Amino acid sequence: MADTNSGWDGRGASDTGGAGSSEGIPGPGPEGAAEPCAGGKPRGRRVAAASLVALAALATGCEPGTAEGAQDVPPPARATQAAAPTPSPFLTAPAPTTEDAKPRTAPPPSPSTSSAAPAPAPTRARPAAEPSTAPPRVLMRTGSESDRVRELQARLRQIGHFGRHPTGYYGSVTADSVRSFQAKRRLPLTGSTDAVTWQRLLAMTRVPTAAELDPPTERPLAAPDERCLKGRVLCISKKSRTLAWMNDGKVVSAMDVRFGSEYTPTREGVFEVFWKSRDHVSTLYDTPMPYALFFSGGQAVHYSADFAANGYGGASHGCVNVRDKKKVAALFDQVKNGDKVVVYW
């Protein structure tokens, strides 16, 4: 406190002390000398006045104090809106590191205080997969020729959709049989065997036996013409529609055959094989004639895919058609140029 007996009125006259003074604190003087200060006050009273000024400054927050115990005094809040200075670590205790002291985002508005809650962010829905429009994969179609076609025909025969022996060739008769099967099962009527049709057929039938897959194709043989009883002869009967490969009156093999129509008849008589062509294609009709054995002009014994597919519903252009490909292939390997051919009723 100020000394009321000192006679100093506290009105803060300017200090006119010598060099080295700062903020009214006198610089060093001669040891034990009492320097005069403003207003003629003695030095002891100037020290007391300086102490009061320091305490006043500390009370108003002008300067952070360093006096003992000052760190326990929190700085007063400023009246202005200016950003507060960074508090000294000696004046304020560190914030507690509890969960509640962690920074948080603003809580969502309460439904009771806001009538229009913000809509949630829209989520992009994944588009639904469109059904596949691709047709089923086709496994067999008209023109196909394989053991699987033979199995197809045998399975269709088991349930009454194929009335002939399997040939292994996919022709119009097989396509009609497949179409009939598809119609009864309400499948697309394509006539081709796609994956769906094949799986449905497999589920309804059993594995064909060897006899069902490869039954005898020869028709009952007619009594051979006497011209067929000597030598190596292709003995062909129009009446029984059969071909017998004979060697000195003994039948080596036999097979079903068909002939030309009334407009393109197969010639009758005794001939000789003069040309063999394994992969022949007709230059006149541009059709395949595999395993061709020519015996009269352009007429030959050969395999016919149409005969295998359509049976006797069609006719040749004069050739002797064979519908069993394996048998005519074996015949082609055995017959030689110069062997006799007899065509008769």
Side-chain angles (χ1 to χ4, degrees), residues 103 123 219 221 237 250 255 285 292 296 327:
T123 58
R219 298 166 61 89
L221 291 174
S237 169
K250 295 181 180 180
M255 55 206 74
Y285 301 104
S296 177
K327 288 188 174 182

Side-chain angles (χ1 to χ4, degrees), residues 215-256:
T217 57
E218 61 269 10
R219 298 166 61 89
L221 291 174
D225 188 283
E226 60 182 24
R227 294 171 291 181
C228 299
L229 299 178
K230 292 182 181 181
R232 296 159 56 94
V233 184
L234 290 172
C235 193
I236 302 169
S237 169
K238 285 188 173 182
K239 182 177 181 179
S240 64
R241 294 187 287 190
T242 60
L243 180 154
W245 168 232
M246 302 182 68
N247 190 351
D248 290 334
K250 295 181 180 180
V251 177
V252 178
S253 64
M255 55 206 74
D256 301 342

Side-chain angles (χ1 to χ4, degrees), residues 140 148-164 166 170 173-182 185 191 193 197-198 200-202 204-206 208:
M140 294 167 276
R148 186 155 65 169
V149 174
R150 187 179 292 272
E151 181 182 353
L152 167 70
Q153 294 165 337
R155 288 180 179 272
L156 288 171
R157 184 180 174 88
Q158 289 178 11
I159 55 177
H161 285 279
F162 191 76
R164 302 180 181 183
Y170 204 118
V173 172
T174 304
D176 289 342
S177 299
V178 170
R179 196 175 289 109
S180 172
F181 175 82
Q182 290 170 332
R185 274 77 196 172
T193 303
T197 301
W198 180 242
R200 187 71 63 87
L201 180 61
L202 292 180
M204 297 180 61
T205 56
R206 54 177 171 77

